[in-house]
């Protein structure tokens, strides 16, 4: 009798354990992405003898269950609300509440200021070689360094939290000096924004990018910089654009981590050309009918920074059919996206690369084949000292 009871208990326990993942599988509705976390959900692991033997099956099931448990988003949203509104924590989900701005929670570890000059010199070297190559066939190279949102608003960090001040001051300064010493034409947009009064409207309170106003200021600074270098290019003035703030809720990267619970009245802004410059577009080598601004289908649907050009692509080409104008190559991170909607109008053909995704050929080979008249690197300053990606711009033939 005792043995029967023990076996019955074990069977009930086993059934209960199996019911949880079975229920999860039924209720998960085969979701593959976590919208608010902006990532792919863990896939159900393969059951193999090897995964069972080495323990990876168990860890895979744990990750899968954690991602697909019924009501997961509701539970996480409720936990976020409790931490924000009841416990009133200064940072939730690695987001810092800095007055009317959301900033990332940063680790305290920083490089010493004395380390930056040598690092900057090494970082400048491949750009110097690319710049020299562009000049060799009569082109011009310019690097526009853009401050990231946390750097632009670094004075908003509470005193007891790290704002990586050394990185934002000593690091950025060393980088600009190293570029100049290496012969690279470097446009420091942080200095440009400061000279314009460091307008708060230039940057988003809820996203790590600038707003369209900041992108437009960068566009005008780049065009003025190229004009001073002898290039005569058409410019989209403020009279040529209709700046519109969208009615859609703007979730963006910071508030997205808070499940859009932070009160936010900011809307995404676009600049619609009153006399549009027509273009033919190609994305990743294929004809594309994407417009400059990929807007939500309804006003109540959320908007993100990906509305500019439709987000990041490995390669985008915009042809305007005006051979009297020079051709351009722009490469860099997602800060290029908003600028692309403006810069293309000043050139005949505009090629855009994101070297984090493009692997068709090396940068040197791409430039050698297309020989653009103007090559622009546009990158935010938190990427200055990272290897690879849009910093991997030269390799010897």
């Amino acid at each position: 009798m005792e043995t029967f009871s023990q076996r019955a208990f074990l069977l009930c326990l086993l059934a209960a354990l199996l019911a949880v993942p079975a229920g999860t599988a039924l209720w998960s509705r085969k979701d593959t992405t976590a919208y608010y976390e902006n990532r792919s959900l863990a896939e159900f692991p393969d059951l193999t003898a090897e995964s069972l033997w080495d323990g990876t099956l168990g860890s895979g099931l744990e990750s899968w269950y954690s991602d697909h448990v019924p009501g997961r988003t509701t539970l996480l949203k409720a936990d976020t609300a409790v931490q924000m509104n009841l416990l009133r924590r200064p940072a939730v989900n690695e987001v810092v509440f800095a007055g009317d701005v959301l900033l990332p929670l940063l680790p305290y570890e920083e490089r010493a200021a004395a380390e930056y000059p040598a690092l900057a010199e090494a970082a400048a070297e491949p750009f110097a070689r690319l710049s020299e190559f562009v000049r060799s066939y009569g082109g011009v190279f310019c690097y526009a360094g853009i401050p990231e949102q946390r750097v632009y608003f670094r004075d908003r960090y509470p005193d007891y939290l790290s704002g990586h001040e050394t990185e934002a001051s000593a690091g950025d300064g060393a980088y600009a000096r190293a570029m100049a010493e290496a012969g690279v034409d470097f446009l420091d947009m942080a200095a440009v924004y400061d000279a314009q009064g460091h307008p708060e409207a230039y940057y988003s309170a809820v996203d790590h990018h600038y707003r369209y106003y900041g992108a437009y200021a960068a566009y005008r600074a780049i065009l003025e910089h190229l004009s001073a270098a002898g290039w005569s290019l058409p410019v989209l003035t403020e009279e040529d654009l209709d700046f519109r703030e969208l009615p859609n809720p703007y979730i963006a990267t910071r508030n997205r981590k808070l499940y859009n619970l932070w009160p936010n009245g900011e809307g995404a802004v676009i600049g619609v050309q009153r006399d549009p410059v027509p273009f033919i577009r190609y994305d990743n080598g294929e004809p594309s009918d994407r417009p400059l601004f990929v807007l939500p289908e309804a006003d109540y649907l959320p908007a993100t920074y990906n509305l500019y050009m439709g987000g990041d692509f490995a390669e985008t080409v915009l042809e305007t059919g005006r051979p009297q104008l020079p051709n351009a190559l722009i490469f860099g991170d997602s800060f290029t996206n908003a600028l692309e909607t403006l810069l293309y109008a000043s050139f005949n053909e505009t090629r855009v690369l994101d070297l984090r995704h493009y692997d068709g050929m090396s940068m040197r080979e791409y430039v050698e084949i297309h020989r653009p008249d103007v090559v622009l690197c546009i990158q935010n300053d938190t990427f200055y000292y990272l290897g690879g990606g849009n910093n991997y711009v030269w390799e010897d033939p």
Side-chain angles (χ1 to χ4, degrees), residues 189 191-199 202 217-218 220-221 224:
M189 279 307 305
V192 173
Y193 291 149
D194 286 345
Q196 295 177 359
H198 202 84
Y202 279 6
R220 291 298 298 267
E224 289 171 9

Side-chain angles (χ1 to χ4, degrees), residues 1 7 65 69 79 92 110 123 223 233 267 294 374 378:
M1 189 69 169
R7 289 176 178 174
Y65 176 72
V69 63
D79 177 67
V92 176
E110 282 196 83
L223 267 290
L233 301 169
V294 182
V374 176
I378 298 166

Side-chain angles (χ1 to χ4, degrees), residues 27-350:
W27 287 97
S28 65
R29 300 178 184 178
K30 297 183 179 180
D31 290 336
T32 59
T33 58
Y35 174 75
Y36 286 104
E37 296 162 75
N38 198 25
R39 67 175 180 85
S40 299
L41 295 172
E43 297 182 358
F44 194 87
D46 293 330
L47 176 59
T48 64
E50 183 179 359
S51 66
L52 186 62
W53 175 257
D54 63 18
T56 56
L57 177 63
S59 60
L61 283 170
E62 182 180 4
S63 298
W64 173 82
Y65 176 72
S66 176
D67 273 1
H68 293 272
V69 63
R72 176 181 181 275
T73 299
T74 301
L75 291 170
L76 291 172
K77 192 172 184 178
D79 177 67
T80 300
V82 167
Q83 294 189 60
M84 287 175 58
N85 303 317
L86 294 181
L87 301 180
R88 296 189 178 278
R89 297 189 183 279
V92 176
N93 299 347
E94 299 184 342
V95 175
V96 176
F97 304 105
D100 56 354
V101 171
L102 298 179
L103 299 172
L105 182 64
L106 301 174
Y108 280 92
E109 296 79 11
E110 282 196 83
R111 293 189 181 101
E115 297 180 57
Y116 281 106
L119 293 171
E121 182 180 355
E125 193 270 339
F127 287 99
R129 300 185 71 176
L130 175 62
S131 177
E132 182 181 1
F133 180 68
V134 173
R135 284 197 301 267
S136 72
Y137 65 77
V140 62
F141 174 79
C142 177
Y143 187 137
I146 314 286
E148 204 247 40
Q149 182 247 23
R150 69 169 174 84
V151 178
Y152 198 76
F153 290 130
R154 64 182 182 272
D155 60 335
R156 305 290 186 88
Y157 274 99
D159 293 339
Y160 54 85
L161 291 178
S162 171
H164 278 214
E165 177 61 32
T166 303
E167 176 190 26
S169 54
D172 284 11
Y175 196 82
R177 287 190 297 273
M179 287 291 181
E181 291 169 1
V184 178
D185 185 11
F186 184 79
L187 176 60
D188 185 358
M189 279 307 305
V192 173
Y193 291 149
D194 286 345
Q196 295 177 359
H198 202 84
E200 186 172 330
Y202 279 6
Y203 272 73
S204 173
V206 292
D207 193 87
H208 70 281
H209 297 99
Y210 42 27
R211 300 187 77 197
Y212 202 71
Y213 303 119
Y216 179 73
Y219 162 73
R220 291 298 298 267
I222 290 170
L223 267 290
E224 289 171 9
H225 195 75
L226 292 174
S227 176
W231 293 90
S232 180
L233 301 169
V235 179
L236 293 174
T237 67
E238 293 186 30
E239 290 71 30
D240 297 321
L241 297 169
D242 178 17
F243 291 93
R244 302 175 188 173
E245 183 165 323
L246 302 180
N248 309 76
Y250 189 49
I251 293 183
T253 50
R254 309 283 191 231
N255 206 17
R256 195 170 192 159
K257 289 189 173 184
L258 299 174
Y259 296 88
N260 204 29
L261 294 176
W262 193 71
N264 172 38
E266 178 181 306
V269 176
I270 61 175
V272 180
Q273 298 173 40
R274 293 192 170 96
D275 185 15
V277 176
F279 60 87
I280 299 174
R281 176 171 176 169
Y282 301 86
D283 289 327
N284 299 331
E286 298 294 331
S288 173
D289 59 359
R290 289 184 183 87
L292 299 175
F293 306 103
V294 182
L295 305 180
E297 295 180 357
D299 289 352
Y300 65 85
L301 294 175
T304 70
Y305 182 83
N306 281 346
L307 70 89
Y308 302 112
M309 298 298 291
D312 298 336
F313 292 92
E315 180 191 47
T316 291
V317 181
L318 300 172
E319 298 177 350
T320 67
R322 298 174 297 171
Q324 72 275 17
L325 294 177
N327 296 330
L329 168 62
I330 302 168
F331 70 96
D333 57 48
S334 54
F335 276 74
T336 69
N337 297 358
L339 272 171
E340 291 166 40
T341 68
L342 297 160
L343 282 168
Y344 92 93
S346 298
F347 297 97
N348 171 43
E349 176 190 80
T350 301

Side-chain angles (χ1 to χ4, degrees), residues 359-386:
D359 60 2
M361 64 187 76
S362 71
M363 185 65 172
R364 181 193 60 77
E365 292 172 320
Y366 196 94
V367 171
E368 188 169 23
I369 289 173
H370 297 287
R371 299 204 165 217
D373 302 293
V374 176
V375 179
L376 294 171
C377 175
I378 298 166
Q379 194 158 208
N380 86 79
D381 57 355
T382 63
F383 286 169
Y384 284 174
Y385 294 98
L386 298 181

